[in-house]
Amino acid sequence: MVKKLTKKEIELVMANFIVEGSLICFSPLGQGHIHDTFLVEIKTDEKIKKYTLQRINTRVFQEPELMMANWEKVAQHVNRKLIELEGEKTSKKSIRPVLTQSGQSYYRTPQGEYWRLYHYVDGCHTIETATTPEQAFEAGRAFGFFQKLIADLSPQELHETIPYFHHTPRRFERFLLAIEQASPERKARAADTISFALSRQSLVSLVTDGLSSGRLPVRVSHNDTKINNVLFDDETGKGICVIDLDTTMPGSPLYDFGDLVRTGTCAAAEDETDLDAVAMDMDLFEAVAEGYLSETADLLVEPERELLFMAGPLITFTIGLRFLTDYLEGDIYFKTKYPEHNLVRARTQFKLLHSMEKQQRQMQTVINCLLKILR
Ligand code: GN1
Ligand code: MG
């Protein structure tokens, strides 16, 4: 449980950034599982200005300086490309950081906490799941467009801020260790979920084998393409910006497409307890895929295209495995709201994976058709 912050504490942090005015209020923002995020309202002479303030989770990002260096590099690159492609009047937005008094993109407190501040993007909203094909298409398009913008950013320019982040074989090894070391109670409660995970071991090296043999290119990718990392325009419903660049680093578009499929094709929440409500919807899948490939069909190489239909199952499995591992390890990584939250999330992911497995053929057909049309 995170200790509740006082107004005074937020004021002390805010004083380090170049912000004029006085703090009116602050409240928790968003559903992220890692950092502590707040909406902060500041009153100046004429108006009220909103900011997004974040305390970085340094247990997860153990070298926050490197993570922020990546952020800056990616944001600069994206802004430059946006102007190149669409001119100064681009309808797309980007997240603008507020610098500290000493010109940095983050503030480190004497106690070693790391904070960052952004201008709040008004006129937009986020969604936790897609309920319409339009939303799924827009999410796919927004992340596809992001992939296009970063396509010429060399992986060598970015730090690997969380090593082996999407490396499913490593995640699986850690899961096996967690089973050995878990408390007997947790192991017993998770027994069915553990068996399910063990039965899907054949999935683990689907992408990593290709990356290590060179068959699949290592590219910069976003690596956290949850649908709630897209800002949708309140009026038009268009996806106008992707946020949360924390894990943008060497990876593969297959990881990004996979997480889009995980979070954009099922109307049920990531922690839905009614498993009958958890299934992949083919219409949403088609829309996500069309949105993503409308921007990326040309830039992907054949071995990537061939694996697209398996990306959703792979990432859904991997994230489920991570939730389950965290449950077995005693909930040390993801924020949880109740004692079995991580186990519930894992079960939901595995139910979704099962539904994807049943529709694997259809996914492949849809992808092949789209690739024919869009290339
Ligand atoms: C975390 O912070 P958030 O909620 O965007 C996690 C992702 C997982 C996701 C699961 C750094 O993302 O990898 O896919 O939860 N981020 C990190 O919902 O581990
Ligand atoms: Mg995140």
Side-chain angles (χ1 to χ4, degrees):
M1 266 293 149
V2 191
K3 184 180 138 272
K4 241 185 155 176
L5 287 151
T6 63
K7 195 171 171 197
K8 187 84 212 133
E9 285 168 311
I10 296 286
E11 271 169 347
L12 279 174
V13 172
M14 289 294 288
N16 296 283
F17 291 91
I18 307 177
V19 171
E20 273 175 34
S22 53
L23 176 70
I24 308 179
C25 58
F26 69 98
S27 50
L29 183 67
Q31 304 288 330
H33 298 339
I34 308 293
H35 307 303
D36 300 320
T37 310
F38 304 93
L39 170 65
V40 174
E41 297 188 40
I42 299 285
K43 191 171 176 344
T44 64
D45 287 346
E46 321 96 73
K47 54 180 179 188
I48 291 174
K49 286 185 84 178
K50 292 187 202 158
Y51 296 89
T52 304
L53 176 67
Q54 241 179 358
R55 177 166 56 186
I56 295 169
N57 182 330
T58 49
R59 228 176 350 92
V60 169
F61 291 96
Q62 296 189 355
E63 294 185 280
E65 286 89 355
L66 299 190
M67 188 254 271
M68 291 308 292
N70 278 5
W71 246 98
E72 287 171 32
K73 192 158 272 170
V74 175
Q76 257 173 23
H77 184 88
V78 163
N79 288 337
R80 191 164 38 78
K81 296 290 285 194
L82 265 181
I83 294 173
E84 255 172 55
L85 282 173
E86 303 200 335
E88 295 279 355
K89 289 210 184 91
T90 169
S91 59
K92 307 281 188 340
K93 301 207 174 166
S94 54
I95 300 292
R96 287 184 302 126
V98 179
L99 298 184
T100 63
Q101 309 286 359
S102 57
Q104 278 190 306
S105 61
Y106 60 89
Y107 167 66
R108 184 182 188 277
T109 68
Q111 294 74 34
E113 289 185 354
Y114 285 74
W115 291 81
R116 60 187 176 191
L117 187 70
Y118 296 96
H119 292 277
Y120 183 80
V121 187
D122 254 321
C124 297
H125 60 275
T126 54
I127 56 177
E128 289 306 310
T129 61
T131 45
T132 68
E134 289 74 23
Q135 291 172 328
F137 177 88
E138 281 303 318
R141 205 185 45 77
F143 277 115
F145 185 63
F146 181 78
Q147 185 62 53
K148 194 153 99 181
L149 294 177
I150 57 173
D152 58 345
L153 186 57
S154 159
Q156 272 125 29
E157 286 201 47
L158 298 178
H159 308 283
E160 206 168 336
T161 49
I162 303 182
Y164 302 104
F165 188 57
H166 279 307
H167 197 288
T168 317
R170 293 258 179 162
R171 298 282 184 189
F172 200 82
E173 274 171 28
R174 178 149 172 189
F175 162 64
L176 294 180
L177 195 68
I179 303 177
E180 267 175 41
Q181 296 175 350
S183 75
E185 298 78 43
R186 287 199 178 222
K187 217 153 73 178
R189 284 208 194 97
D192 291 351
T193 320
I194 293 174
S195 311
F196 181 93
L198 291 172
S199 72
R200 296 303 189 276
Q201 187 168 5
S202 59
L203 262 180
V204 300
S205 52
L206 198 71
V207 169
T208 43
D209 278 356
L211 290 173
S212 51
S213 72
R215 196 173 137 74
L216 294 169
V218 174
R219 302 181 193 261
V220 176
S221 51
H222 183 283
N223 294 314
D224 189 9
T225 55
K226 264 164 109 164
I227 200 162
N228 70 5
N229 278 331
V230 177
L231 296 186
F232 290 85
D233 187 289
D234 288 345
E235 275 171 23
T236 63
K238 300 262 179 234
I240 55 156
C241 178
V242 308
I243 57 173
D244 191 351
L245 308 182
D246 292 347
T247 48
T248 304
M249 59 182 168
S252 163
L254 289 165
Y255 297 144
D256 284 3
F257 183 65
D259 211 21
L260 263 167
V261 173
R262 177 180 78 89
T263 59
T265 66
C266 169
E270 188 181 60
D271 56 359
E272 175 62 65
T273 47
D274 173 11
L275 292 183
D276 290 337
V278 181
M280 184 181 78
D281 178 309
M282 255 339 262
D283 291 338
L284 294 178
F285 175 79
E286 201 169 330
V288 161
E290 190 178 350
Y292 188 76
L293 292 175
S294 65
E295 299 287 356
T296 58
D298 285 336
L299 71 89
L300 299 177
V301 295
E302 197 51 36
E304 289 172 323
R305 290 188 202 119
E306 280 168 11
L307 282 179
L308 280 168
F309 79 106
M310 284 303 292
L314 174 69
I315 291 297
T316 306
F317 177 61
T318 309
I319 308 291
L321 199 61
R322 289 174 57 197
F323 286 141
L324 180 56
T325 304
D326 198 29
Y327 176 74
L328 294 171
E329 289 180 346
D331 305 319
I332 52 175
Y333 187 93
F334 296 104
K335 286 187 191 174
T336 51
K337 293 193 175 134
Y338 53 90
E340 303 230 320
H341 204 170
N342 272 320
L343 180 57
V344 164
R345 288 169 175 152
R347 282 193 186 124
T348 309
Q349 302 316 296
F350 292 159
K351 173 68 206 303
L352 184 58
L353 168 60
H354 190 57
S355 162
M356 288 175 183
E357 286 170 344
K358 288 193 282 185
Q359 302 181 80
Q360 218 148 284
R361 279 256 168 77
Q362 288 102 300
M363 284 198 275
Q364 196 170 16
T365 309
V366 166
I367 298 276
N368 289 343
C369 286
L370 286 169
L371 285 172
K372 274 198 200 114
I373 303 166
L374 294 168
R375 287 186 57 220

